[in-house]
Amino acid sequence: MDATETPATEATPSRAARLLGRPFDINGLSLRNRIAMAPMTRNFSPDGVPGADVAEYYARRAAGGVGLIITEGTYVDHASAGSSHRVPRFHGDAPLAGWRQVAGAVHAAGGKIVPQLWHVGATRNEGDGPFPDAPPAGPSGLNLDGEPKGHALTSADIDEVVAAFARAAADAERNGFDGVELHGAHGYLIDQFFWNRTNRRTDGYGGGLASRTRFAAEIVEAVRAAVSPDFPVIFRLSQWKSNAYDEKLAADPTELDALLAPLAAAGVDAFHASTRRYWLPEYDGDDLNLAGWIKKLTGKATLSVGSVGLDKQFTAAETFSTETTSTAGIDLLLDRMERDEFDVIAVGRALIADPEWADKALTDRLSEATPYDAGMLRRLS
């Protein structure tokens, strides 16, 4: 090289690449970056079996730069767990064979994947599939409004549900997945045990908040025992319910700690805190969002979520509307990532709209991202 020449230097990574592009580890699961795909029910698995189109759908997001795919909710092996013939199941030969193909496709595209294990509880209506003869079931035979619905789970029923989650987790490991997520949010069965409106039990599963965590803790313990020690267990929780956006299970950090401590002790490796807007503080007097508080209280890895990259928040009526959004910047997200408030950010609707959203975020090309509109929910692409 001539003495007058300047040595070549690498370009300085952008702020997004520097913060979102950092690898992260959850109990031995190495993620290539801090971007996850949030679980979103898509209803494209006839008879509960995910097909090649589902595998391609998730693989496209992995190829587009997502570090961790969290699948849509999948029903565990309990007759009252589900409410649709088109939502995938995580039990039975055909569904599990389909899921093996999904996991393989995601791995081939460079991503990691965990299934979300789900029981809808008393949100299910009488006669709903996939097992229409099964009654709705919840902790106290109450719907989310606190009105009678279905039947209260007996102790034997509870044991069956706990065992179903454990079997599903073992099947996930056996079929090539990288971990599991337990759906304990949004007013579904596990969350119904947390919530005093739906849990009026007088046995060891009801009463104070710590006692109302017993069901979830037993599921975590059973799952932990059914899988390898280094197989990650993620737990999703929320304050809000599908019929009560402003509800708070824990009114302050002390109550939140009472909710979290038994779950952390039972073996949760990471918490996925579902909020509708990730940038809002969870409690007065501190800027931390829910994921930030969970990380502060437990020391566990945390995932945050909520209207990332979009200019409109999630609304219940959205699925049936013609709502469109514009792509929004992620400076507020990067501010929180820079101070390590939480560890991973999950992205929902923006990834339905654009499978390459992650790559575009990491390379400062979000101005090129496809905007979301609700019509996209009618197809799997």
Side-chain angles (χ1 to χ4, degrees):
M1 184 174 66
D2 187 274
T4 61
E5 291 182 279
T6 302
T9 59
E10 293 185 5
T12 302
S14 70
R15 187 172 180 231
R18 179 170 54 84
L19 295 171
L20 294 177
R22 295 174 294 167
F24 188 68
D25 184 279
I26 301 175
N27 188 21
L29 172 60
S30 297
L31 306 179
R32 59 184 170 178
N33 60 41
R34 304 297 183 99
I35 301 173
M37 181 177 183
M40 293 172 285
T41 301
R42 297 308 313 274
N43 288 293
F44 284 93
S45 296
D47 296 320
V49 179
D53 55 344
V54 175
E56 292 165 4
Y57 165 75
Y58 286 119
R60 275 193 290 272
R61 275 74 190 167
V66 173
L68 176 65
I69 303 287
I70 306 171
T71 75
E72 61 205 287
T74 68
Y75 299 148
V76 297
D77 186 13
H78 185 258
S80 297
S83 55
S84 170
H85 291 280
R86 294 184 57 81
V87 168
R89 301 196 292 271
F90 213 84
H91 60 91
D93 291 343
L96 291 176
W99 281 120
R100 278 196 300 276
Q101 298 303 312
V102 173
V106 168
H107 290 154
K112 302 295 175 65
I113 183 169
V114 301
Q116 186 188 73
L117 307 180
W118 188 23
H119 191 303
V120 303
T123 65
R124 182 177 181 277
N125 293 320
E126 199 83 42
D128 281 350
F131 302 105
D133 293 336
S140 299
L142 302 172
N143 66 15
L144 298 191
D145 293 319
E147 301 296 329
K149 183 179 182 181
H151 83 282
L153 293 169
T154 65
S155 295
D157 293 331
I158 287 173
D159 291 344
E160 289 177 4
V161 173
V162 170
F165 274 94
R167 285 195 303 275
D171 283 337
E173 184 172 26
R174 188 161 43 247
N175 285 280
F177 282 82
D178 301 298
V180 292
E181 176 171 284
L182 309 177
H183 195 343
H186 306 165
Y188 296 113
L189 181 64
I190 294 175
D191 197 20
Q192 289 162 24
F193 272 84
F194 290 150
W195 197 17
N196 58 8
R197 183 184 297 181
T198 48
N199 184 348
R200 310 283 178 80
R201 298 177 74 99
T202 57
D203 61 5
Y205 294 94
L209 183 56
S211 296
R212 298 198 304 271
T213 67
R214 177 181 169 184
F215 176 66
E218 288 185 357
I219 290 175
V220 174
E221 289 173 351
V223 165
R224 184 79 276 161
V227 299
S228 301
D230 59 352
F231 191 70
V233 176
I234 303 169
F235 192 96
R236 195 178 210 209
L237 77 166
S238 68
Q239 299 260 42
W240 65 273
K241 319 300 171 199
S242 59
N243 70 329
Y245 283 147
D246 296 326
E247 181 64 31
K248 284 190 182 293
L249 284 176
D252 56 45
T254 300
E255 289 189 351
L256 183 61
D257 190 41
L259 173 68
L260 297 169
L263 304 177
V268 169
D269 295 303
F271 287 97
H272 184 180
S274 179
T275 56
R276 294 168 62 226
R277 289 160 286 185
Y278 74 86
W279 58 87
L280 291 185
E282 189 61 31
Y283 299 115
D284 293 339
D286 196 297
D287 193 43
L288 291 175
N289 73 3
L290 181 59
W293 272 109
I294 292 172
K295 183 175 180 179
K296 179 178 180 177
L297 291 169
T298 68
K300 297 285 187 177
T302 54
L303 296 81
S304 189
V305 70
S307 300
V308 178
L310 301 175
D311 65 349
K312 292 182 181 179
Q313 68 190 43
F314 171 84
T315 60
E318 174 190 295
T319 302
F320 308 103
S321 74
T322 57
E323 178 181 307
T324 60
T325 65
S326 299
T327 299
I330 56 171
D331 286 343
L332 291 177
L333 170 63
L334 297 179
D335 290 345
R336 291 176 182 266
M337 297 297 291
E338 192 156 36
R339 58 181 182 255
D340 288 322
E341 179 177 341
F342 43 80
D343 301 300
V344 175
I345 188 67
V347 181
R349 290 172 292 162
L351 274 169
I352 288 179
D354 193 334
E356 297 180 351
W357 187 94
D359 275 342
K360 290 175 181 177
L362 291 166
T363 55
D364 292 330
R365 294 184 295 121
L366 281 181
S367 61
E368 303 172 15
T370 303
Y372 170 85
D373 74 76
M376 293 173 173
L377 298 179
R378 293 192 290 270
R379 59 187 183 273
L380 200 66
S381 61

